[in-house]
Amino acid sequence: MTKKVTNSLWALRLTAVLSVLLLLISAHGFAQESYTVSGKISDKADGETLFGASVFLEGTTIGVVTNEYGFYSITAPKGEYRLLISYMGYAEMYKEVILDRNQKFNFEISELSTELEEVVVTADEPERAILRKPEMSVVKMNIATVKQMPVVLGEVDILKSLQMLPGVTNNGEGTGGFHVRGGAGDQNLVLLDEAIIYNTSHMFGFFSVFNADAIKDVKLYKGGIPARYGGRVSSVLDVRQKDGNSKQFAATGGIGIISSRLALEGPLFKEKGSFLIAGRRSYADLLLKAAGEDNSVSFYDLNLKTNYKINANNRLFLSGYFGRDAFELGENFTSSYGNSTGNLRWNHIFNAKLFSNLSAVYSKYDYDLGITTAEFDWVSSITNYNLKYDFKYYFSDKFKLDFGASGIYYDFDPGEIRPTSETSAVNPLKLDQKRALESGVYVNAEHKLTDKLTAQYGLRYSAFSRLGGQPMVDYANNQPVVYNSELGIYQRGTPVGETNYEKGDAIEKFGNLEPRASLAYILNENSSLKVGFSRVAQYIHLLSNTSSATPLDVWTPSGQFIKPQLSNQYALGYFRNFKDKAYSMEAEVYFKNTDNRIDYIDGSDLIGQNTIETEILTGESRAYGLELLLRKNEGDFTGWIAYTLSKSEQRTPGGIAGGLGINNGEWYNTPYDRTHDISISGSYKLNEKLSFGANLVFQTGRPVTYPNGQYEYEGISVASYADRNSDRLPAYHRLDLSVNYKPNRKPQNRLKGEWVLGIYNAYNRKNVASISFGQNLETGANEATRTAIFGIVPSLTYNFKF
């Protein structure tokens, strides 16, 4: 294995050297009579750089969109051009340029006036550019649109907005995380300013960790994941915080019935920099205590960011996020969990064509659980340190190149029991700490092959080392799980000894090549076909044998008995604009298969488990489906209809453990399977004061396992169960409504306010979160009990900005 990894690394290094040489040779040929215009695009009002703004030479197919930091670069033959700059919800800007030398232009563009009769809520990018871009299965959410959507308890929620789009769903009300194209929650890479977020939920899923007042851009890759991303096989959610207003001091916030928030931003260093401080806190705990309740629940989060412009070519960014949840059930139980992140970044522009970003990133997720009556605390965490260097080379109008490298060091602390008093009957226990190193190098090209055909292709090489520092259990016949044919069950293997590994040792090494490719072919000026393929490796796994993730779930690295997940995804799409972009349609079909997917033996015990390999088997999963999205983009009434027809299945044979495996080794539904998923979202602007919003959602019920019989054993009634996930909860559906009212205000007043009245689940549907089965102690009859979390939930929020 080591030799194979080493050879692959040297092959990749050689490929990288040859690519650079080719780039230098080709650059000389392309330089003749071609010049470059470059710069940054930002918001005129607050100086925020704009990610995804379009910069085009009018009347040509030469153009580009700005990167995450608002930078653009266009190379074109010598001549006179009209430069067009456009961005979602902003007025277009034009500039006449004479390309007879390399030039730099920074542009500040203004939001469209709210006085206009029509409000455009989608990108104003030239239609051929949208259709031509070889980017598939990507969703870019506009924060203004997110804030108009009805939400539970009046709190704007980015994740719940994404779940209104095809291919994205949750695992039921009151559950955390999200699922993409039939994948599990741990298969999503969630980044906040490049820092990994391991738990995206507040209050067990009622809210997400993303404060919309602090967020600038949201981009979700459902497939066709670019080569610069690695480590998760299902999706990438890339969330970027605001840089802060570099023009003037500003404040935004809101006061709701459950939580309130405030964001402050302004210039620093004579407009060479800016800052952002955004905080949010719930006060459900205060309300419960005021009502005389012993129970308590609360959360807070804090977003911080600042930047400094050293000169025209260098800028530093420092950002962080801190969030935490706390629970108390009387005097007997306490729990808290949260994320902490930090990122120091350096943007450097080498020249008009080469842009770079160097980042040093810290991320930690931890939780603690206290049982007062038993007098002990349980604590666990995962921490990582990430160093990454990314480059973008705008080679020519026809060729753009991304390349870079990254390294992540992981520190897994799966759990420790700490007695809280000398009289505690609980003994101290610390599970083995685990360490790992993940690294990757990548190169990715966007290549316009012909006037109608554009390709994006790249290669990532990832390597992973499970590091030593703890003893590893050895098992008889190297089998941590064995099949007991007499009882017909899987059991833990027989330990026969231990092997000690020092911190400098590598317990196991892995290496994988991850090719990515996509093509876009223009059929005509209003439609295109796209096809894509991506291969991704995932080296860390979330251990959870419940239907939805909980804060107590533990992350673990790949190693001797847990192999990396390897996934291939194929997608084909058709994209079309109607009536001069007033309407648009997207249709995609996909197939995704994943090897080495962890599955759990019946009766597995994951809590406080030092030998987790004795509780699991390894199988495979597959997901496939059809996604449709029809949008109305312009006018007083805007919105979309999203439909997903899909299947998500898993199969786990017995393998070397013996036996038939889970569910007799047959394919069975994953907990994330939804046959039908329909979402309708719309907003209507009646006038400048009043607007309305509505969401309608329908989903096929979540797969579950029900008992199908019972038997008597020594006078005790014991249930027998059907095949795993062979039944379903009832279908889920609800209607949400909202009304936005903006009172009269004088134009000269900086304070702008609005009232938002929301009704979640307007017709009071009692959607089933779970069904439990038990015996009535009084009658002796078996009973099924339905549990619903929400009925109708009204909310009222006052939002302000100045």
Side-chain angles (χ1 to χ4, degrees):
M1 174 66 74
T2 303
K3 184 177 180 180
K4 182 179 179 181
V5 172
T6 304
N7 291 339
S8 298
L9 278 171
W10 277 110
L12 193 68
R13 290 169 181 166
L14 179 60
T15 302
V17 171
L18 292 175
S19 298
V20 172
L21 290 175
L22 180 61
L23 185 68
L24 294 173
I25 294 170
S26 303
H28 180 268
F30 270 87
Q32 54 184 353
E33 293 301 305
S34 291
Y35 298 96
T36 300
V37 55
S38 63
K40 289 190 175 183
I41 310 298
S42 58
D43 187 306
K44 187 174 183 179
D46 56 20
E48 286 281 352
T49 57
L50 300 177
F51 173 30
S54 301
V55 186
F56 274 78
L57 299 180
E58 197 174 39
T60 74
T61 59
I62 301 175
V64 72
V65 296
T66 54
N67 70 4
E68 292 86 346
Y69 304 96
F71 180 79
Y72 75 92
S73 177
I74 295 178
T75 299
K78 180 179 180 180
E80 297 184 11
Y81 298 93
R82 192 183 192 206
L83 200 62
L84 166 63
I85 300 95
S86 62
Y87 185 67
M88 174 173 30
Y90 284 70
E92 292 182 342
M93 176 176 283
Y94 300 88
K95 182 174 180 59
E96 304 292 337
V97 296
I98 301 175
L99 273 187
D100 55 1
R101 65 188 188 284
N102 292 340
Q103 301 174 63
K104 185 174 183 178
F105 296 110
N106 295 326
F107 295 100
E108 294 184 335
I109 58 178
S110 302
E111 286 190 79
L112 289 169
S113 171
T114 56
E115 304 296 325
L116 294 179
E117 294 182 359
E118 286 192 347
V119 178
V120 180
V121 298
T122 58
D124 235 354
E125 191 176 25
E127 58 192 40
R128 282 179 62 86
I130 298 175
L131 300 174
R132 178 185 298 278
K133 194 166 183 63
E135 194 174 61
M136 286 197 68
S137 311
V138 176
V139 175
K140 190 174 187 300
M141 290 293 288
N142 178 267
I143 292 299
T145 303
V146 171
K147 289 184 175 182
Q148 293 174 0
M149 300 177 68
V151 292
V152 64
L153 299 175
E155 188 67 35
V156 173
D157 197 311
I158 289 171
L159 291 188
K160 287 183 171 57
S161 299
L162 289 171
Q163 290 163 15
M164 294 295 296
L165 295 167
V168 188
T169 186
N170 62 10
N171 213 35
E173 278 181 328
T175 60
F178 60 102
H179 305 282
V180 177
R181 291 186 169 176
D186 72 315
Q187 294 175 329
N188 302 315
L189 176 63
V190 181
L191 302 172
L192 178 61
D193 272 358
E194 300 182 305
I196 299 173
I197 300 295
Y198 289 98
N199 189 325
T200 59
S201 301
H202 283 311
M203 295 176 68
F204 292 112
F206 292 150
F207 305 105
S208 78
V209 299
F210 302 115
N211 182 350
D213 289 340
I215 302 304
K216 176 169 64 173
D217 298 299
V218 179
K219 202 167 187 179
L220 174 67
Y221 298 88
K222 299 183 294 182
I225 298 173
R228 68 178 179 274
Y229 298 110
R232 301 294 188 279
V233 297
S234 190
S235 75
V236 176
L237 178 60
D238 192 353
V239 181
R240 302 279 172 159
Q241 294 186 136
K242 292 180 178 178
D243 297 332
N245 194 319
S246 62
K247 301 290 186 178
Q248 60 184 351
F249 178 81
T252 57
I255 302 172
I257 60 174
I258 295 295
S259 64
S260 290
R261 63 192 193 279
L262 177 65
L264 304 175
E265 52 187 321
L268 291 174
F269 313 114
K270 297 181 180 180
E271 296 192 7
K272 283 191 172 184
S274 60
F275 74 91
L276 168 74
I277 302 176
R280 182 173 54 159
R281 191 195 190 281
S282 70
Y283 29 81
D285 55 330
L286 304 178
L287 298 176
L288 289 170
K289 288 181 180 179
E293 290 284 340
D294 293 332
N295 302 328
S296 175
V297 55
S298 65
F299 76 85
Y300 77 87
D301 48 33
L302 180 66
N303 299 77
L304 302 170
K305 193 169 184 179
T306 187
N307 67 89
Y308 178 70
K309 181 180 179 182
I310 301 173
N311 53 43
N313 294 325
N314 295 277
R315 184 182 289 265
L316 292 176
F317 295 82
L318 179 63
S319 62
Y321 168 81
F322 308 92
R324 198 147 199 90
D325 285 68
F327 298 86
E328 294 181 11
L329 297 180
E331 298 180 352
N332 300 321
F333 175 88
T334 62
S335 177
S336 69
Y337 65 91
N339 298 279
S340 301
T341 73
N343 186 2
L344 177 62
R345 282 177 288 174
W346 170 43
N347 284 177
H348 177 62
I349 302 173
F350 286 93
N351 53 50
K353 293 187 176 186
L354 184 59
F355 180 92
S356 72
N357 182 74
L358 176 64
S359 299
V361 191
Y362 165 85
S363 180
K364 180 178 182 179
Y365 171 71
D366 70 283
Y367 73 79
D368 64 76
L369 173 67
I371 308 295
T372 307
T373 53
E375 299 181 318
F376 77 88
D377 287 337
W378 172 267
V379 295
S380 179
S381 66
I382 176 174
T383 307
N384 72 258
Y385 306 88
N386 184 4
L387 184 65
K388 58 195 295 287
Y389 205 4
D390 300 298
F391 297 84
K392 189 172 186 69
Y393 191 85
Y394 297 83
F395 182 61
S396 70
D397 165 50
K398 291 181 169 53
F399 193 79
K400 301 172 185 65
L401 195 67
D402 296 278
F403 55 98
S406 65
I408 305 176
Y409 174 79
Y410 294 98
D411 191 341
F412 302 85
D413 187 355
E416 179 181 3
I417 293 178
R418 299 172 180 171
T420 55
S421 73
E422 295 181 357
T423 61
S424 174
V426 177
N427 294 321
L429 170 68
K430 182 172 177 59
L431 301 182
D432 291 338
Q433 200 160 344
K434 302 172 184 178
R435 302 169 185 84
L437 179 64
E438 180 179 349
S439 58
V441 293
Y442 73 91
V443 61
N444 188 80
E446 185 174 326
H447 192 178
K448 186 164 71 173
L449 301 170
T450 70
D451 189 50
K452 289 182 175 291
L453 184 62
T454 305
Q456 182 172 278
Y457 49 89
L459 183 65
R460 180 181 184 87
Y461 180 81
S462 58
F464 188 85
S465 296
R466 170 72 188 276
L467 303 178
Q470 76 278 334
M472 299 294 293
V473 176
D474 300 320
Y475 299 94
N477 300 319
N478 203 34
Q479 292 181 230
V481 176
V482 295
Y483 183 71
N484 187 322
S485 58
E486 294 182 1
L487 298 178
I489 61 173
Y490 285 97
Q491 297 178 325
R492 297 177 182 176
T494 303
V496 294
E498 286 186 348
T499 301
N500 288 303
Y501 291 90
E502 300 297 328
K503 285 187 177 181
D505 296 337
I507 298 174
E508 195 78 19
K509 290 184 177 181
F510 305 95
N512 286 285
L513 287 173
E514 305 175 31
R516 323 278 172 88
S518 58
L519 291 169
Y521 182 77
I522 299 290
L523 298 173
N524 54 51
E525 63 180 11
N526 287 315
S527 63
S528 69
L529 280 174
K530 298 183 183 182
V531 61
F533 166 78
S534 61
R535 179 173 175 82
V536 187
Q538 177 170 336
Y539 296 100
I540 67 173
H541 317 262
L542 184 63
L543 300 174
S544 175
N545 57 359
T546 58
S547 60
S548 60
T550 73
L552 301 181
D553 296 333
V554 176
W555 290 86
T556 193
S558 297
Q560 287 177 308
F561 304 106
I562 301 178
K563 304 305 178 186
Q565 298 179 64
L566 300 174
S567 179
N568 299 313
Q569 184 171 169
Y570 311 83
L572 174 67
Y574 175 71
F575 303 83
R576 185 174 178 83
N577 293 318
F578 302 92
K579 294 188 175 181
D580 196 25
K581 295 189 298 178
Y583 297 87
S584 62
M585 185 194 76
E586 302 174 17
E588 289 193 37
V589 292
Y590 66 89
F591 176 83
K592 176 172 59 176
N593 65 283
T594 304
D595 295 329
N596 302 327
R597 180 64 184 158
I598 286 177
D599 207 347
Y600 305 92
I601 62 175
D602 293 332
S604 60
D605 182 12
L606 304 181
I607 302 298
Q609 181 58 257
N610 210 27
T611 54
I612 201 68
E613 63 271 12
T614 63
E615 311 298 314
I616 62 176
L617 292 175
T618 300
E620 60 180 324
S621 65
R622 66 186 182 191
Y624 47 93
L626 165 69
E627 298 174 354
L628 298 173
L629 180 63
L630 178 64
R631 295 180 183 263
K632 185 179 184 301
N633 301 319
E634 301 176 0
D636 291 330
F637 175 74
T638 58
W640 65 80
I641 300 174
Y643 173 68
T644 305
L645 173 66
S646 63
K647 192 68 178 174
S648 176
E649 300 174 300
Q650 187 161 337
R651 178 172 66 183
T652 307
I656 62 171
L660 295 176
I662 306 299
N663 204 54
N664 294 319
E666 300 295 329
W667 290 102
Y668 68 91
N669 296 325
T670 71
Y672 330 110
D673 178 64
R674 302 289 187 277
T675 307
H676 303 284
D677 188 344
I678 303 171
S679 300
I680 302 174
S681 181
S683 62
Y684 176 70
K685 181 180 178 182
L686 181 64
N687 52 46
E688 294 304 319
K689 295 183 181 179
L690 204 58
S691 61
F692 304 89
N695 293 336
L696 179 63
V697 177
F698 173 89
Q699 295 175 356
T700 300
R702 173 166 54 86
V704 291
T705 307
Y706 289 156
N708 61 357
Q710 65 180 23
Y711 59 92
E712 292 275 337
Y713 180 74
E714 296 185 352
I716 300 175
S717 179
V718 180
S720 64
Y721 285 84
D723 290 341
R724 190 175 290 193
N725 289 348
S726 59
D727 299 290
R728 289 186 183 270
L729 295 176
Y732 176 96
H733 54 88
R734 72 171 199 273
L735 172 67
D736 309 330
L737 302 172
S738 69
V739 180
N740 291 51
Y741 174 68
K742 298 179 180 179
N744 282 326
R745 61 175 183 265
K746 296 180 180 179
Q748 65 269 25
N749 290 350
R750 285 193 61 194
L751 177 62
K752 301 176 183 179
E754 67 172 1
W755 291 94
V756 182
L757 172 65
I759 302 177
Y760 182 88
N761 196 2
Y763 52 81
N764 200 30
R765 163 76 173 178
K766 302 294 186 182
N767 285 298
V768 179
S770 65
I771 296 180
S772 59
F773 297 85
Q775 190 176 44
N776 188 308
L777 297 180
E778 295 181 359
T779 66
N782 292 326
E783 293 181 342
T785 304
R786 295 162 53 119
T787 301
I789 295 178
F790 287 127
I792 184 172
V793 183
S795 64
L796 182 65
T797 304
Y798 177 71
N799 297 319
F800 59 87
K801 181 178 181 180
F802 65 86

